[in-house]
Amino acid sequence: MGPKQKIAFAVGVSVMGTILIMAIVSTIPGMFIPLRYFSVGIFCSASISTPVCVLLVRQGEENRLLRHELERRVEELAYLADRDGLTGLLSRNAFFDRAGRVHARPGNWYLLIDIDHFKRFNDDHGHQTGDAVLHAVGSAIAQALGPADLSGRLGGEEFAVCLTDCAADLATRRAEHVRASIQALRVRAASGHIVRVTASIGLSASDPIRPIEASLHRADLAMYAAKTGGRNQVRRAA
């Protein structure tokens, strides 16, 4: 029901209430109200109730809009509180929280992703370029994953991914897809130069019996093996 319909309904109720009361009073001996006075009662009821109803409905609509805006802002703040401000991925705490909820499910895999030679971007091109690289890598990771997967920035140039419901071969292929997506990036530095990005990735199956940190530690060891093995590659934990 729209605002005009609400006002019309409220005024109608007021008028009908006035008519009903006058009709009841008329049935009392000695209290008969002539019919012509009914029109006066209807006019007075409508003229008094209309501005009151307009005011109340207007206030109700304003309150409804304010409540809707408040709910939207709360949802927005809740979303931002779980996000890394630079990459848009989950923050460290949010990643561990959400991955912990699905850790006991079978078929989960963890990726530890570390940008290769990240310090060079800051040293050679400035921190603005380093931030641009982090943002681009975060977007590449997010776009390479499925809707049920989780991805977060753990800190610095290190990222984590939780692949859900995967066989070993599929998890490896998806990790390679993430690596290739990062390798395909071309980021324009503040100086105007185009910089290329690669990352080393460690892959580990989830161990539901042990804490999530144990699975991530195995992925971390595999990621360091990828670093020492030449970088820009995926290594799966034994």
mmCIF file of all heavy atoms in Angstrom, residues 172-212:
data_model
loop_
_atom_site.group_PDB
_atom_site.id
_atom_site.type_symbol
_atom_site.label_atom_id
_atom_site.label_comp_id
_atom_site.label_asym_id
_atom_site.label_seq_id
_atom_site.Cartn_x
_atom_site.Cartn_y
_atom_site.Cartn_z
ATOM 1 N N THR A 172 45.119 -29.422 -8.444
ATOM 2 C CA THR A 172 46.383 -29.033 -9.079
ATOM 3 C C THR A 172 46.131 -28.165 -10.308
ATOM 4 O O THR A 172 46.803 -27.157 -10.523
ATOM 5 C CB THR A 172 47.183 -30.280 -9.477
ATOM 6 O OG1 THR A 172 47.439 -31.070 -8.302
ATOM 7 C CG2 THR A 172 48.506 -29.898 -10.120
ATOM 8 N N ARG A 173 45.156 -28.557 -11.130
ATOM 9 C CA ARG A 173 44.845 -27.769 -12.324
ATOM 10 C C ARG A 173 44.344 -26.379 -11.939
ATOM 11 O O ARG A 173 44.695 -25.381 -12.587
ATOM 12 C CB ARG A 173 43.788 -28.485 -13.173
ATOM 13 C CG ARG A 173 44.300 -29.748 -13.855
ATOM 14 C CD ARG A 173 43.379 -30.172 -14.994
ATOM 15 N NE ARG A 173 42.028 -30.446 -14.531
ATOM 16 C CZ ARG A 173 41.612 -31.633 -14.106
ATOM 17 N NH1 ARG A 173 42.452 -32.658 -14.059
ATOM 18 N NH2 ARG A 173 40.357 -31.819 -13.726
ATOM 19 N N ARG A 174 43.553 -26.304 -10.903
ATOM 20 C CA ARG A 174 43.030 -24.995 -10.490
ATOM 21 C C ARG A 174 44.138 -24.128 -9.903
ATOM 22 O O ARG A 174 44.146 -22.903 -10.100
ATOM 23 C CB ARG A 174 41.902 -25.195 -9.495
ATOM 24 C CG ARG A 174 40.700 -25.925 -10.101
ATOM 25 C CD ARG A 174 39.549 -26.033 -9.131
ATOM 26 N NE ARG A 174 38.986 -24.717 -8.847
ATOM 27 C CZ ARG A 174 38.048 -24.513 -7.938
ATOM 28 N NH1 ARG A 174 37.584 -25.512 -7.214
ATOM 29 N NH2 ARG A 174 37.576 -23.296 -7.732
ATOM 30 N N ALA A 175 45.057 -24.731 -9.201
ATOM 31 C CA ALA A 175 46.206 -23.977 -8.696
ATOM 32 C C ALA A 175 47.048 -23.452 -9.857
ATOM 33 O O ALA A 175 47.533 -22.309 -9.834
ATOM 34 C CB ALA A 175 47.047 -24.858 -7.784
ATOM 35 N N GLU A 176 47.218 -24.272 -10.886
ATOM 36 C CA GLU A 176 47.953 -23.831 -12.077
ATOM 37 C C GLU A 176 47.220 -22.694 -12.774
ATOM 38 O O GLU A 176 47.843 -21.779 -13.324
ATOM 39 C CB GLU A 176 48.145 -25.003 -13.041
ATOM 40 C CG GLU A 176 49.251 -25.973 -12.643
ATOM 41 C CD GLU A 176 50.635 -25.371 -12.838
ATOM 42 O OE1 GLU A 176 50.743 -24.280 -13.445
ATOM 43 O OE2 GLU A 176 51.609 -25.982 -12.379
ATOM 44 N N HIS A 177 45.902 -22.753 -12.752
ATOM 45 C CA HIS A 177 45.114 -21.675 -13.362
ATOM 46 C C HIS A 177 45.325 -20.369 -12.612
ATOM 47 O O HIS A 177 45.446 -19.297 -13.232
ATOM 48 C CB HIS A 177 43.639 -22.066 -13.369
ATOM 49 C CG HIS A 177 42.731 -21.015 -13.929
ATOM 50 N ND1 HIS A 177 42.912 -20.444 -15.171
ATOM 51 C CD2 HIS A 177 41.616 -20.410 -13.399
ATOM 52 C CE1 HIS A 177 41.970 -19.538 -15.387
ATOM 53 N NE2 HIS A 177 41.181 -19.498 -14.329
ATOM 54 N N VAL A 178 45.386 -20.442 -11.298
ATOM 55 C CA VAL A 178 45.662 -19.244 -10.497
ATOM 56 C C VAL A 178 47.049 -18.715 -10.832
ATOM 57 O O VAL A 178 47.241 -17.512 -11.046
ATOM 58 C CB VAL A 178 45.542 -19.551 -8.992
ATOM 59 C CG1 VAL A 178 46.035 -18.368 -8.157
ATOM 60 C CG2 VAL A 178 44.102 -19.882 -8.616
ATOM 61 N N ARG A 179 48.033 -19.608 -10.891
ATOM 62 C CA ARG A 179 49.404 -19.181 -11.211
ATOM 63 C C ARG A 179 49.472 -18.522 -12.585
ATOM 64 O O ARG A 179 50.089 -17.459 -12.754
ATOM 65 C CB ARG A 179 50.348 -20.392 -11.157
ATOM 66 C CG ARG A 179 51.819 -20.032 -11.386
ATOM 67 C CD ARG A 179 52.613 -21.230 -11.885
ATOM 68 N NE ARG A 179 52.096 -21.718 -13.164
ATOM 69 C CZ ARG A 179 52.332 -21.153 -14.331
ATOM 70 N NH1 ARG A 179 53.069 -20.041 -14.419
ATOM 71 N NH2 ARG A 179 51.811 -21.661 -15.443
ATOM 72 N N ALA A 180 48.815 -19.139 -13.576
ATOM 73 C CA ALA A 180 48.840 -18.589 -14.936
ATOM 74 C C ALA A 180 48.122 -17.238 -15.000
ATOM 75 O O ALA A 180 48.533 -16.344 -15.747
ATOM 76 C CB ALA A 180 48.202 -19.576 -15.905
ATOM 77 N N SER A 181 47.055 -17.082 -14.232
ATOM 78 C CA SER A 181 46.319 -15.811 -14.203
ATOM 79 C C SER A 181 47.196 -14.695 -13.652
ATOM 80 O O SER A 181 47.146 -13.546 -14.126
ATOM 81 C CB SER A 181 45.046 -15.954 -13.362
ATOM 82 O OG SER A 181 44.172 -16.906 -13.923
ATOM 83 N N ILE A 182 47.998 -15.021 -12.649
ATOM 84 C CA ILE A 182 48.918 -14.023 -12.096
ATOM 85 C C ILE A 182 50.037 -13.711 -13.084
ATOM 86 O O ILE A 182 50.403 -12.549 -13.289
ATOM 87 C CB ILE A 182 49.490 -14.518 -10.754
ATOM 88 C CG1 ILE A 182 48.366 -14.654 -9.719
ATOM 89 C CG2 ILE A 182 50.582 -13.583 -10.242
ATOM 90 C CD1 ILE A 182 48.790 -15.303 -8.418
ATOM 91 N N GLN A 183 50.556 -14.749 -13.733
ATOM 92 C CA GLN A 183 51.638 -14.550 -14.707
ATOM 93 C C GLN A 183 51.185 -13.686 -15.883
ATOM 94 O O GLN A 183 51.991 -12.968 -16.484
ATOM 95 C CB GLN A 183 52.143 -15.903 -15.216
ATOM 96 C CG GLN A 183 53.340 -15.797 -16.154
ATOM 97 C CD GLN A 183 53.783 -17.152 -16.689
ATOM 98 O OE1 GLN A 183 53.035 -18.129 -16.598
ATOM 99 N NE2 GLN A 183 54.982 -17.218 -17.225
ATOM 100 N N ALA A 184 49.900 -13.741 -16.198
ATOM 101 C CA ALA A 184 49.383 -12.969 -17.338
ATOM 102 C C ALA A 184 49.199 -11.487 -17.015
ATOM 103 O O ALA A 184 48.929 -10.693 -17.922
ATOM 104 C CB ALA A 184 48.049 -13.566 -17.792
ATOM 105 N N LEU A 185 49.364 -11.109 -15.757
ATOM 106 C CA LEU A 185 49.152 -9.713 -15.374
ATOM 107 C C LEU A 185 50.209 -8.800 -15.978
ATOM 108 O O LEU A 185 51.391 -9.155 -16.087
ATOM 109 C CB LEU A 185 49.181 -9.566 -13.849
ATOM 110 C CG LEU A 185 48.030 -10.200 -13.066
ATOM 111 C CD1 LEU A 185 48.300 -10.107 -11.571
ATOM 112 C CD2 LEU A 185 46.712 -9.501 -13.408
ATOM 113 N N ARG A 186 49.759 -7.622 -16.341
ATOM 114 C CA ARG A 186 50.656 -6.547 -16.765
ATOM 115 C C ARG A 186 50.235 -5.302 -15.992
ATOM 116 O O ARG A 186 49.140 -4.777 -16.201
ATOM 117 C CB ARG A 186 50.562 -6.294 -18.276
ATOM 118 C CG ARG A 186 50.928 -7.501 -19.134
ATOM 119 C CD ARG A 186 52.397 -7.877 -19.009
ATOM 120 N NE ARG A 186 52.745 -8.984 -19.877
ATOM 121 C CZ ARG A 186 52.717 -10.264 -19.511
ATOM 122 N NH1 ARG A 186 52.323 -10.583 -18.277
ATOM 123 N NH2 ARG A 186 53.070 -11.215 -20.350
ATOM 124 N N VAL A 187 51.096 -4.862 -15.107
ATOM 125 C CA VAL A 187 50.763 -3.750 -14.222
ATOM 126 C C VAL A 187 51.605 -2.537 -14.600
ATOM 127 O O VAL A 187 52.826 -2.639 -14.743
ATOM 128 C CB VAL A 187 51.016 -4.118 -12.746
ATOM 129 C CG1 VAL A 187 50.659 -2.948 -11.826
ATOM 130 C CG2 VAL A 187 50.214 -5.363 -12.364
ATOM 131 N N ARG A 188 50.946 -1.392 -14.777
ATOM 132 C CA ARG A 188 51.662 -0.170 -15.126
ATOM 133 C C ARG A 188 52.209 0.480 -13.861
ATOM 134 O O ARG A 188 51.467 0.791 -12.928
ATOM 135 C CB ARG A 188 50.750 0.808 -15.863
ATOM 136 C CG ARG A 188 51.472 2.079 -16.346
ATOM 137 C CD ARG A 188 50.547 2.947 -17.178
ATOM 138 N NE ARG A 188 50.132 2.283 -18.398
ATOM 139 C CZ ARG A 188 50.865 2.255 -19.513
ATOM 140 N NH1 ARG A 188 52.048 2.863 -19.548
ATOM 141 N NH2 ARG A 188 50.410 1.622 -20.581
ATOM 142 N N ALA A 189 53.505 0.669 -13.834
ATOM 143 C CA ALA A 189 54.156 1.296 -12.691
ATOM 144 C C ALA A 189 53.913 2.798 -12.714
ATOM 145 O O ALA A 189 53.489 3.370 -13.730
ATOM 146 C CB ALA A 189 55.653 1.003 -12.706
ATOM 147 N N ALA A 190 54.197 3.457 -11.592
ATOM 148 C CA ALA A 190 54.022 4.905 -11.504
ATOM 149 C C ALA A 190 54.903 5.623 -12.510
ATOM 150 O O ALA A 190 54.571 6.715 -12.990
ATOM 151 C CB ALA A 190 54.333 5.379 -10.096
ATOM 152 N N SER A 191 56.021 5.009 -12.852
ATOM 153 C CA SER A 191 56.942 5.603 -13.827
ATOM 154 C C SER A 191 56.465 5.446 -15.258
ATOM 155 O O SER A 191 57.034 6.035 -16.179
ATOM 156 C CB SER A 191 58.328 4.960 -13.682
ATOM 157 O OG SER A 191 58.246 3.556 -13.941
ATOM 158 N N GLY A 192 55.437 4.645 -15.463
ATOM 159 C CA GLY A 192 54.931 4.381 -16.803
ATOM 160 C C GLY A 192 55.366 3.038 -17.350
ATOM 161 O O GLY A 192 54.823 2.580 -18.363
ATOM 162 N N HIS A 193 56.349 2.415 -16.717
ATOM 163 C CA HIS A 193 56.810 1.109 -17.164
ATOM 164 C C HIS A 193 55.754 0.044 -16.867
ATOM 165 O O HIS A 193 55.000 0.148 -15.899
ATOM 166 C CB HIS A 193 58.126 0.731 -16.472
ATOM 167 C CG HIS A 193 59.294 1.558 -16.890
ATOM 168 N ND1 HIS A 193 59.626 2.748 -16.280
ATOM 169 C CD2 HIS A 193 60.215 1.360 -17.876
ATOM 170 C CE1 HIS A 193 60.701 3.255 -16.856
ATOM 171 N NE2 HIS A 193 61.077 2.442 -17.840
ATOM 172 N N ILE A 194 55.739 -0.994 -17.688
ATOM 173 C CA ILE A 194 54.863 -2.136 -17.472
ATOM 174 C C ILE A 194 55.663 -3.224 -16.770
ATOM 175 O O ILE A 194 56.719 -3.633 -17.246
ATOM 176 C CB ILE A 194 54.296 -2.668 -18.801
ATOM 177 C CG1 ILE A 194 53.509 -1.574 -19.525
ATOM 178 C CG2 ILE A 194 53.412 -3.889 -18.544
ATOM 179 C CD1 ILE A 194 52.307 -1.065 -18.779
ATOM 180 N N VAL A 195 55.164 -3.662 -15.629
ATOM 181 C CA VAL A 195 55.866 -4.703 -14.880
ATOM 182 C C VAL A 195 55.081 -6.002 -14.959
ATOM 183 O O VAL A 195 53.853 -6.006 -15.035
ATOM 184 C CB VAL A 195 56.070 -4.294 -13.407
ATOM 185 C CG1 VAL A 195 56.924 -3.037 -13.308
ATOM 186 C CG2 VAL A 195 54.738 -4.059 -12.711
ATOM 187 N N ARG A 196 55.831 -7.085 -14.970
ATOM 188 C CA ARG A 196 55.217 -8.410 -15.001
ATOM 189 C C ARG A 196 55.299 -9.037 -13.619
ATOM 190 O O ARG A 196 56.211 -8.757 -12.847
ATOM 191 C CB ARG A 196 55.924 -9.290 -16.029
ATOM 192 C CG ARG A 196 55.812 -8.751 -17.460
ATOM 193 C CD ARG A 196 56.364 -9.734 -18.454
ATOM 194 N NE ARG A 196 56.186 -9.266 -19.829
ATOM 195 C CZ ARG A 196 56.464 -10.003 -20.903
ATOM 196 N NH1 ARG A 196 56.958 -11.228 -20.761
ATOM 197 N NH2 ARG A 196 56.254 -9.510 -22.107
ATOM 198 N N VAL A 197 54.345 -9.904 -13.348
ATOM 199 C CA VAL A 197 54.222 -10.486 -12.015
ATOM 200 C C VAL A 197 54.159 -12.010 -12.131
ATOM 201 O O VAL A 197 53.513 -12.541 -13.029
ATOM 202 C CB VAL A 197 52.941 -9.985 -11.307
ATOM 203 C CG1 VAL A 197 52.929 -10.448 -9.846
ATOM 204 C CG2 VAL A 197 52.821 -8.483 -11.392
ATOM 205 N N THR A 198 54.847 -12.685 -11.227
ATOM 206 C CA THR A 198 54.707 -14.140 -11.090
ATOM 207 C C THR A 198 54.558 -14.461 -9.603
ATOM 208 O O THR A 198 54.830 -13.628 -8.739
ATOM 209 C CB THR A 198 55.913 -14.908 -11.662
ATOM 210 O OG1 THR A 198 57.094 -14.528 -10.945
ATOM 211 C CG2 THR A 198 56.104 -14.603 -13.150
ATOM 212 N N ALA A 199 54.155 -15.679 -9.339
ATOM 213 C CA ALA A 199 53.974 -16.093 -7.948
ATOM 214 C C ALA A 199 54.323 -17.564 -7.797
ATOM 215 O O ALA A 199 54.166 -18.364 -8.726
ATOM 216 C CB ALA A 199 52.539 -15.851 -7.498
ATOM 217 N N SER A 200 54.795 -17.903 -6.626
ATOM 218 C CA SER A 200 55.061 -19.295 -6.270
ATOM 219 C C SER A 200 53.926 -19.784 -5.383
ATOM 220 O O SER A 200 53.490 -19.080 -4.473
ATOM 221 C CB SER A 200 56.393 -19.409 -5.525
ATOM 222 O OG SER A 200 57.455 -18.942 -6.338
ATOM 223 N N ILE A 201 53.455 -21.010 -5.656
ATOM 224 C CA ILE A 201 52.258 -21.512 -4.988
ATOM 225 C C ILE A 201 52.535 -22.880 -4.376
ATOM 226 O O ILE A 201 53.078 -23.774 -5.029
ATOM 227 C CB ILE A 201 51.075 -21.618 -5.970
ATOM 228 C CG1 ILE A 201 50.763 -20.241 -6.575
ATOM 229 C CG2 ILE A 201 49.847 -22.201 -5.289
ATOM 230 C CD1 ILE A 201 49.657 -20.257 -7.609
ATOM 231 N N GLY A 202 52.160 -23.022 -3.105
ATOM 232 C CA GLY A 202 52.194 -24.314 -2.447
ATOM 233 C C GLY A 202 50.784 -24.839 -2.286
ATOM 234 O O GLY A 202 49.857 -24.091 -1.943
ATOM 235 N N LEU A 203 50.602 -26.121 -2.542
ATOM 236 C CA LEU A 203 49.279 -26.746 -2.524
ATOM 237 C C LEU A 203 49.287 -27.898 -1.532
ATOM 238 O O LEU A 203 50.193 -28.730 -1.542
ATOM 239 C CB LEU A 203 48.931 -27.260 -3.931
ATOM 240 C CG LEU A 203 47.634 -28.053 -4.109
ATOM 241 C CD1 LEU A 203 46.421 -27.178 -3.827
ATOM 242 C CD2 LEU A 203 47.564 -28.629 -5.520
ATOM 243 N N SER A 204 48.277 -27.930 -0.683
ATOM 244 C CA SER A 204 48.202 -28.992 0.325
ATOM 245 C C SER A 204 46.752 -29.419 0.517
ATOM 246 O O SER A 204 45.848 -28.582 0.550
ATOM 247 C CB SER A 204 48.774 -28.495 1.651
ATOM 248 O OG SER A 204 48.520 -29.423 2.694
ATOM 249 N N ALA A 205 46.561 -30.732 0.661
ATOM 250 C CA ALA A 205 45.226 -31.243 0.972
ATOM 251 C C ALA A 205 44.861 -30.891 2.409
ATOM 252 O O ALA A 205 45.719 -30.805 3.286
ATOM 253 C CB ALA A 205 45.191 -32.757 0.774
ATOM 254 N N SER A 206 43.589 -30.679 2.635
ATOM 255 C CA SER A 206 43.122 -30.386 3.982
ATOM 256 C C SER A 206 43.203 -31.637 4.853
ATOM 257 O O SER A 206 42.933 -32.754 4.404
ATOM 258 C CB SER A 206 41.677 -29.883 3.926
ATOM 259 O OG SER A 206 41.145 -29.770 5.221
ATOM 260 N N ASP A 207 43.606 -31.446 6.085
ATOM 261 C CA ASP A 207 43.618 -32.532 7.071
ATOM 262 C C ASP A 207 42.574 -32.183 8.131
ATOM 263 O O ASP A 207 42.869 -31.455 9.082
ATOM 264 C CB ASP A 207 45.002 -32.664 7.702
ATOM 265 C CG ASP A 207 45.089 -33.837 8.664
ATOM 266 O OD1 ASP A 207 44.042 -34.481 8.907
ATOM 267 O OD2 ASP A 207 46.185 -34.113 9.184
ATOM 268 N N PRO A 208 41.338 -32.690 7.981
ATOM 269 C CA PRO A 208 40.251 -32.286 8.891
ATOM 270 C C PRO A 208 40.492 -32.653 10.347
ATOM 271 O O PRO A 208 39.887 -32.060 11.242
ATOM 272 C CB PRO A 208 39.032 -33.033 8.329
ATOM 273 C CG PRO A 208 39.402 -33.416 6.935
ATOM 274 C CD PRO A 208 40.871 -33.629 6.958
ATOM 275 N N ILE A 209 41.354 -33.637 10.590
ATOM 276 C CA ILE A 209 41.589 -34.084 11.963
ATOM 277 C C ILE A 209 42.437 -33.080 12.732
ATOM 278 O O ILE A 209 42.286 -32.916 13.937
ATOM 279 C CB ILE A 209 42.269 -35.471 11.959
ATOM 280 C CG1 ILE A 209 41.369 -36.491 11.262
ATOM 281 C CG2 ILE A 209 42.583 -35.926 13.382
ATOM 282 C CD1 ILE A 209 41.977 -37.870 11.136
ATOM 283 N N ARG A 210 43.310 -32.379 12.024
ATOM 284 C CA ARG A 210 44.224 -31.436 12.669
ATOM 285 C C ARG A 210 43.736 -30.005 12.416
ATOM 286 O O ARG A 210 42.918 -29.759 11.524
ATOM 287 C CB ARG A 210 45.633 -31.626 12.125
ATOM 288 C CG ARG A 210 46.165 -33.046 12.303
ATOM 289 C CD ARG A 210 47.567 -33.171 11.776
ATOM 290 N NE ARG A 210 48.498 -32.359 12.557
ATOM 291 C CZ ARG A 210 49.765 -32.138 12.196
ATOM 292 N NH1 ARG A 210 50.222 -32.646 11.046
ATOM 293 N NH2 ARG A 210 50.554 -31.403 12.951
ATOM 294 N N PRO A 211 44.229 -29.045 13.168
ATOM 295 C CA PRO A 211 43.815 -27.650 12.972
ATOM 296 C C PRO A 211 44.153 -27.159 11.573
ATOM 297 O O PRO A 211 45.054 -27.686 10.905
ATOM 298 C CB PRO A 211 44.609 -26.886 14.040
ATOM 299 C CG PRO A 211 44.974 -27.909 15.064
ATOM 300 C CD PRO A 211 45.153 -29.192 14.306
ATOM 301 N N ILE A 212 43.440 -26.129 11.145
ATOM 302 C CA ILE A 212 43.645 -25.582 9.810
ATOM 303 C C ILE A 212 45.078 -25.084 9.621
ATOM 304 O O ILE A 212 45.643 -25.160 8.519
ATOM 305 C CB ILE A 212 42.634 -24.441 9.549
ATOM 306 C CG1 ILE A 212 42.737 -23.954 8.113
ATOM 307 C CG2 ILE A 212 42.840 -23.289 10.529
ATOM 308 C CD1 ILE A 212 41.662 -22.935 7.775
#
